[in-house]
Amino acid sequence: MLENLRKLYSCYGGIKAIIKSSYFWVLVILAALSYKSITNYEWADKAVSVMPSLTGFTIAAFAIIFAILEPEILRKLTATDGDGHSPIASIAASIGHAVFIQVSAMIIAISSKLVDITGLIEIVADWVFSKGYSPIIFLCAMDWLALFFSAAGLFFTYYGVMLVLAAILSIVRMQLIVAGATKTKPAASPKPPSAPSPPSS
């Protein structure tokens, strides 16, 4: 999985491409304005209810368009430039990035509802206390870790929604590339008229 993700983000442009994206900064603003939902995990219900449909749409829209491409158009879309990148690989990386973020948002949201480590935290706190140390620092660290986990979930939820728009625009971009390739496709030369057959005797 890690190797596939490395290839995906190598084609996507890495962290630099993410930070340069306007979608990223819009979601940063939205997440900052929604800070109150971090403490009560209010965002998790929204992510669980909305994200599966968005992920399904993102995958299905790309799959349908990819399936109807003609072989000749597909060859043009897979042609690489001087940097070794092709239009279809770039668009596929954008779709893959969107799906990865959306699935990550769902995993964090579901985990926040199902995973309970309260008992484990109490055991570790008791063990720290038994060694003669105060567990306050440990408990504070767990509280901050929980807030960070919730903030990451909120961030990924907003990002997943924003990337639906990016996926749609990527599909439109591919359609424009296909339309341009179709216009440059040479028209088939008309067949010469067949010679009349000789009259039968």
Side-chain angles (χ1 to χ4, degrees), residues 97-191:
H97 171 61
V99 171
F100 174 72
I101 294 298
Q102 291 162 357
V103 171
S104 298
M106 284 189 286
I107 291 174
I108 296 175
I110 294 172
S111 299
S112 70
K113 294 293 184 179
L114 300 181
V115 176
D116 185 6
I117 60 173
T118 304
L120 178 61
I121 292 175
E122 291 177 354
I123 292 173
V124 175
D126 291 340
W127 178 81
V128 171
F129 183 77
S130 68
K131 296 297 181 180
Y133 300 102
S134 174
I136 294 178
I137 296 178
F138 169 74
L139 294 175
C140 289
M142 290 298 100
D143 289 340
W144 280 104
L145 184 62
L147 288 176
F148 174 80
F149 184 79
S150 181
L154 174 65
F155 182 87
F156 275 78
T157 299
Y158 268 128
Y159 202 8
V161 174
M162 290 294 301
L163 288 177
V164 174
L165 176 59
I168 293 172
L169 295 180
S170 295
I171 293 170
V172 171
R173 176 185 163 205
M174 186 167 71
Q175 288 285 57
L176 294 176
I177 294 173
V178 170
T182 304
K183 288 180 181 179
T184 59
K185 183 179 178 181
S189 57
K191 295 182 178 179

Side-chain angles (χ1 to χ4, degrees), residues 7-169:
K7 292 180 180 178
L8 167 65
Y9 282 99
S10 175
C11 186
Y12 184 76
I15 298 296
K16 183 178 180 181
I18 294 175
I19 295 177
K20 288 175 64 177
S21 171
S22 56
Y23 302 106
F24 177 83
W25 293 108
V26 170
L27 78 93
V28 168
I29 295 173
L30 291 174
L33 294 175
S34 306
Y35 69 94
K36 290 184 178 180
S37 66
I38 294 176
T39 55
N40 57 11
Y41 285 79
E42 186 179 354
W43 58 267
D45 292 329
K46 305 278 189 301
V48 171
S49 62
V50 172
M51 209 56 65
S53 299
L54 297 182
T55 304
F57 166 79
T58 305
I59 297 173
F62 179 72
I64 291 172
I65 293 178
F66 185 79
I68 63 175
L69 290 177
E70 297 180 2
E72 184 175 346
I73 301 298
L74 187 59
R75 283 194 296 272
K76 291 183 179 181
L77 291 175
T78 54
T80 57
D81 56 17
D83 297 328
H85 298 145
S86 64
I88 199 166
S90 176
I91 294 169
S94 298
I95 300 294
H97 171 61
V99 171
F100 174 72
I101 294 298
Q102 291 162 357
V103 171
S104 298
M106 284 189 286
I107 291 174
I108 296 175
I110 294 172
S111 299
S112 70
K113 294 293 184 179
L114 300 181
V115 176
D116 185 6
I117 60 173
T118 304
L120 178 61
I121 292 175
E122 291 177 354
I123 292 173
V124 175
D126 291 340
W127 178 81
V128 171
F129 183 77
S130 68
K131 296 297 181 180
Y133 300 102
S134 174
I136 294 178
I137 296 178
F138 169 74
L139 294 175
C140 289
M142 290 298 100
D143 289 340
W144 280 104
L145 184 62
L147 288 176
F148 174 80
F149 184 79
S150 181
L154 174 65
F155 182 87
F156 275 78
T157 299
Y158 268 128
Y159 202 8
V161 174
M162 290 294 301
L163 288 177
V164 174
L165 176 59
I168 293 172
L169 295 180

